[in-house]
């Protein structure tokens, strides 16, 4: 057979993403895992507010202290400049003493000392002079420092005159201490208020989560999948809507499961009942001493009937297993050569119906998917077409590329066809038309086909073939493979001119 060339090696790739079933949302310590969420929110709020308030308090304390100290320095600097200019103009000791006494009378918390130019004698109080002098303009330099709780400002002129002023900082320090105490109290009250506000906010904000948790617990305990009342339009309302959608999907899944079990039980019951009756009849005929007797032909027909019923039961069980496998989690995909899968299915279908002629047109096509499932689906399509085709009838299987990334698979039979009103029903589980009830089958074959095709992001539709039979048309994604097209004569005889025009137009639009 052609088209047996091995396809080039393909590298399988999978997009990595977050899986909430196996990956945690974030790392958490033991305390975080044990503490309630509202307490954690309150604590986080309190810590954040405490940090902000503490930083603000320290900045305020430092700024106010610096401002008060700068104000003292500015006042002392103005005083020392005025005293230096005044005393430099005096000519007698009495005048100097009078100016100093007058200044101290208005500034009782301030000490002052004056040394005339080139004099070793100092008028006024005994104040230590030191620190680093810096040029302050007009031929003078100034020194500012704090010694023993006093702020000392000294100003020296280039002619040797020196004035020193010292102010007691007790009141200023007491004011700064009082300010610090007030700020600490405000900080503590702010943190406490932040914790209380955080508790209130967390309690109010988590109320919808609590309601959702109670609803989930109710569903878990009772199994009642009734929707939850949606309040508002915020994120929690959207979460509630998503939860309700999950409940609806779960309810639908439960209904489908119950219906599947009921249908499967009903379908299994029919062959089991008939087979039990025939087996009991055979046992009665083979019982020693029985007087009942039937002909050899009747016995052979009865045995053949039992074997046929066992085959039907085995087929039904196999279909149920295949359907359950499709309902399970998706398998890891692999690169599949669809043309080879079709060849394998075609060989099996020909062995089952040697009295039916199969016409094929196979093109190389590569896709990602489950090779076993695709083989089961294509075999079901061919078996279904062969079952409805009369002896010496024709089943046409054709593959044709319709775009750069899509391929169309058609399976046409020579049977009576499917009425338009029943074409969607044939894909339902256990559905069998009135004409099909007299023929073998479980009613699951096409349901399995549809499920496999849709899992591979394809579509399947039912149409009418050119000779009045049924056409199953499947479109799957992928890309062309290497190799030549193999075609039997007459496989596309049923393709009308209008269909060819429609296909050409579709490919032309896709190229644009």
């Amino acid at each position: 057979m052609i088209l047996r060339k091995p396809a080039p090696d393909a590298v399988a790739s999978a997009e990595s993403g977050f899986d909430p079933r196996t990956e945690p949302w974030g790392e958490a310590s033991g305390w975080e895992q044990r503490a309630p969420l509202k307490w954690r929110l309150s604590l986080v709020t309190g810590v954040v507010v405490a940090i902000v308030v503490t930083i603000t308090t320290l900045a305020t304390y430092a700024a106010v202290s610096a401002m008060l100290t700068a104000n003292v320095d500015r006042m002392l600097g103005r005083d020392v400049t005025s005293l230096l200019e005044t005393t430099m103009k005096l000519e007698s000791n009495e005048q100097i003493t009078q100016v100093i006494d007058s200044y101290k009378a208005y500034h009782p918390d301030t000490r002052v000392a004056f040394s005339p130019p080139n004099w070793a004698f100092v008028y006024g109080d005994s104040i230590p002079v030191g620190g680093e002098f810096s040029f302050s303009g007009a031929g003078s330099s100034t020194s500012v420092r704090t010694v023993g709780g006093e702020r000392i400002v000294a100003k020296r002129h280039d002619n040797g005159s020196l004035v020193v002023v010292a102010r007691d900082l007790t009141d200023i320090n007491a004011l700064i201490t009082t300010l610090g105490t007030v700020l600490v109290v405000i900080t503590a009250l702010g943190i406490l208020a932040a914790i209380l506000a955080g508790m209130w906010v967390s309690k109010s904000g988590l109320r919808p989560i609590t309601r959702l948790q109670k609803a989930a617990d109710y569903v878990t305990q009772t199994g009642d999948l009734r929707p939850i009342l949606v309040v508002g339009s915020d994120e929690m309302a959207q979460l509630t809507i998503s939860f309700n959608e999950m409940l609806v999907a779960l309810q639908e899944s439960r209904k489908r499961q119950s219906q599947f079990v009921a249908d499967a039980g009903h379908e299994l019951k029919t062959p089991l009942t008939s087979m039990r009756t025939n087996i009991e009849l055979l046992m009665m005929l083979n019982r020693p001493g029985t007087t009942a007797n039937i002909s050899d032909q009747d016995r052979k027909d009865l045995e053949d009937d039992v074997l046929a019923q066992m085959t039907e039961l085995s087929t039904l069980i196999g279909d149920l297993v295949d359907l359950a496998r499709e309902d399970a989690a998706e398998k890891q995909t692999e690169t599949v050569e669809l043309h080879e899968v079709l060849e394998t299915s075609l060989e099996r279908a020909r062995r089952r119906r040697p009295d039916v002629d199969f016409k094929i047109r196979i093109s190389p096509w590569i896709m990602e998917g489950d090779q076993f499932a695709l083989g089961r689906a294509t075999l079901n399509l061919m078996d279904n077409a062969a079952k409805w085709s009369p002896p010496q009838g024709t089943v046409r299987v054709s593959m044709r590329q319709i775009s750069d990334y899509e391929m169309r698979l058609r399976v046409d039979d020579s049977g009576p066809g499917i009425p338009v009103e029943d074409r969607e029903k044939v894909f339902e589980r256990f559905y069998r038309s009135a004409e099909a009830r007299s023929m073998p089958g479980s009613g699951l074959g096409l349901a399995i086909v549809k499920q496999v095709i849709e899992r591979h992001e394809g579509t399947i539709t039912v149409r009418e073939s050119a000779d009045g039979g049924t056409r199953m048309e499947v479109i799957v994604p992928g890309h062309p493979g290497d190799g030549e097209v193999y075609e039997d004569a007459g496989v596309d005889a049923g393709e009308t001119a209008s269909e060819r025009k429609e296909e050409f137009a579709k490919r032309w639009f896709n190229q644009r």
Side-chain angles (χ1 to χ4, degrees), residues 7 15 20 35 42 52 60 67 75 102 122 150 231 262 300 320-321 365 371 435-436 442 475 477 486 498 510:
E15 296 183 358
S42 302
V52 174
T60 303
M67 289 175 59
M75 294 175 60
S102 177
V122 176
E150 288 183 321
V231 179
K300 183 177 182 304
L320 290 174
V321 171
W365 191 257
Q371 182 169 345
E435 296 80 3
S442 62
I475 297 178
Y486 177 80
S498 62
N510 289 334

Side-chain angles (χ1 to χ4, degrees), residues 11-33:
V11 180
S13 62
E15 296 183 358
S16 61
F18 175 78
D19 188 353
R21 300 169 297 179
T22 59
E23 300 181 19
W25 287 100
E27 299 296 332
S29 63
W31 181 86
E32 291 179 345
Q33 293 176 351

Side-chain angles (χ1 to χ4, degrees), residues 63-79 103 144 151 153 167 169 172 175-176:
V64 172
S65 299
M67 289 175 59
L68 292 176
T69 303
N71 186 54
V72 172
D73 292 344
R74 184 169 57 253
M75 294 175 60
L76 293 178
R78 185 174 62 248
D79 292 347
Y103 176 80
V144 180
R151 192 68 170 172
V153 177
R167 176 168 294 182
L169 296 179
I172 301 298
L175 180 60
I176 294 176

Side-chain angles (χ1 to χ4, degrees), residues 189-435:
L189 294 177
I191 294 175
L192 179 60
I195 294 177
L196 296 177
M199 294 177 61
W200 180 80
V201 170
S202 62
K203 182 179 180 180
S204 301
L206 295 178
R207 188 175 293 115
I209 297 180
T210 303
R211 184 171 63 251
L212 188 61
Q213 178 188 2
K214 291 180 179 179
D217 293 339
Y218 175 79
V219 171
T220 303
Q221 296 171 2
T222 63
D224 186 5
L225 303 180
R226 68 178 64 182
I228 305 172
L229 178 63
V230 179
V231 179
S233 59
D234 56 2
E235 290 78 2
M236 287 305 306
Q238 298 300 321
L239 177 60
T240 306
I241 293 175
S242 299
F243 190 81
N244 287 339
E245 292 175 353
M246 181 187 67
L247 293 180
V248 172
L250 185 59
Q251 182 69 28
E252 291 297 326
S253 176
R254 179 183 293 181
K255 290 181 180 178
R256 289 196 301 268
Q257 183 181 14
S258 300
Q259 186 65 35
F260 178 77
V261 172
D263 293 341
H266 176 73
E267 295 294 330
L268 287 170
K269 183 178 180 180
T270 301
L272 281 174
T273 302
S274 179
M275 186 168 60
R276 177 179 178 178
T277 301
N278 293 333
I279 291 176
E280 288 178 349
L281 181 57
L282 288 174
M283 293 174 60
M284 183 183 65
L285 293 175
N286 293 329
R287 190 173 301 160
T290 183
T291 58
N293 192 12
I294 60 175
S295 64
D296 293 340
Q297 183 62 38
D298 291 339
R299 180 184 292 272
K300 183 177 182 304
D301 292 340
L302 192 60
E303 293 173 350
D304 291 341
D305 194 16
V306 171
L307 291 176
Q309 290 161 355
M310 292 179 64
T311 302
E312 180 183 359
L313 185 61
S314 177
T315 302
L316 177 59
I317 293 175
D319 289 341
L320 290 174
V321 171
D322 291 340
L323 199 59
R325 184 184 293 112
E326 287 302 315
D327 285 336
E330 294 185 6
K331 298 180 180 179
Q332 186 175 1
T333 60
E334 59 182 346
T335 302
V336 178
E337 297 180 350
L338 186 61
H339 49 280
E340 294 205 356
V341 172
L342 280 172
E343 289 182 15
T344 303
S345 300
L346 183 61
E347 292 175 1
R348 297 178 62 183
R350 278 175 168 167
R351 287 197 300 267
R352 296 181 182 183
R353 285 298 303 274
D355 58 335
V356 174
D357 186 21
F358 286 85
K359 298 290 186 180
I360 63 171
R361 182 185 187 278
I362 298 180
S363 304
W365 191 257
I366 308 298
M367 61 181 298
E368 294 293 323
D370 184 354
Q371 182 169 345
F372 178 78
L374 289 170
R376 182 172 63 249
T378 54
L379 179 60
N380 285 351
L381 285 175
M382 296 179 189
D383 281 343
N384 186 73
K387 180 176 68 174
W388 289 101
S389 296
Q392 309 307 319
T394 302
V395 173
R396 293 178 293 276
V397 181
S398 64
M399 297 174 61
R400 184 180 294 276
Q401 180 180 349
I402 60 176
S403 70
D404 293 338
Y405 54 88
E406 286 183 325
M407 186 275 301
R408 183 191 66 202
L409 169 65
R410 281 178 174 174
V411 180
D412 296 353
D413 62 45
S414 303
I418 300 176
V420 177
E421 61 272 12
D422 292 338
R423 289 180 181 177
E424 291 298 326
K425 298 179 182 179
V426 297
F427 297 111
E428 297 177 2
R429 299 178 179 183
F430 301 106
Y431 174 79
R432 302 184 71 186
S433 62
E435 296 80 3

Side-chain angles (χ1 to χ4, degrees), residues 47-61 183 187-188 191:
V47 169
V48 172
V49 173
I51 293 175
V52 174
V53 172
T54 301
I55 293 175
T56 304
T57 301
L58 293 176
T60 303
Y61 181 81
L183 290 177
T187 301
I191 294 175

Side-chain angles (χ1 to χ4, degrees), residues 439-453:
M439 303 184 67
S442 62
L444 294 175
L446 292 180
I448 295 174
V449 171
K450 182 178 178 64
Q451 199 160 348
V452 171
I453 296 302

